[in-house]
Amino acid sequence: MTPRPQALYDAVRDASGWTPPLDLARYLARQALAECQSADIHDPAAMIRAAVSLESRLRHLLDALDAEDGAR
C-alpha cells in the first residue's frame, strides 16, 4: 500500500500561535539561508531538511511582516 502524501505545512497541525518580532524573524531567515546554501542537491534528505527549514523561516518572516503592517 502506498503511503498517503502529507503536506509540508498544515495550519491546524503546525500553527504555533507565536509570531516572532520582525528583527528576530529576519535574523532567523538569514541564518537558515546560510545553513542551507551548502546542502548537497544530490542528497534527498538534505534537500528535505533545507526545504522544511526554509519554509518555516519564511512563514515566520511573513507572519512578522504581517504583524508589523497591522501595527501601523
Side-chain angles (χ1 to χ4, degrees):
M1 183 187 293
T2 307
R4 184 174 164 195
Q6 184 176 352
L8 181 61
Y9 178 78
D10 179 312
V12 173
R13 180 191 68 215
D14 299 324
S16 69
W18 175 73
T19 299
L22 183 55
D23 59 338
L24 177 59
R26 183 182 293 132
Y27 170 79
L28 292 172
R30 286 190 174 125
Q31 185 181 33
L33 190 59
E35 290 169 359
C36 293
Q37 70 186 6
S38 62
D40 180 358
I41 64 169
H42 301 291
D43 179 351
M47 290 294 97
I48 291 170
R49 284 190 301 273
V52 170
S53 175
L54 292 170
E55 188 273 342
S56 173
R57 297 304 182 204
L58 179 58
R59 189 167 300 285
H60 280 136
L61 181 58
L62 290 174
D63 288 345
L65 287 168
D66 288 346
E68 184 85 1
D69 287 346
R72 292 182 190 179

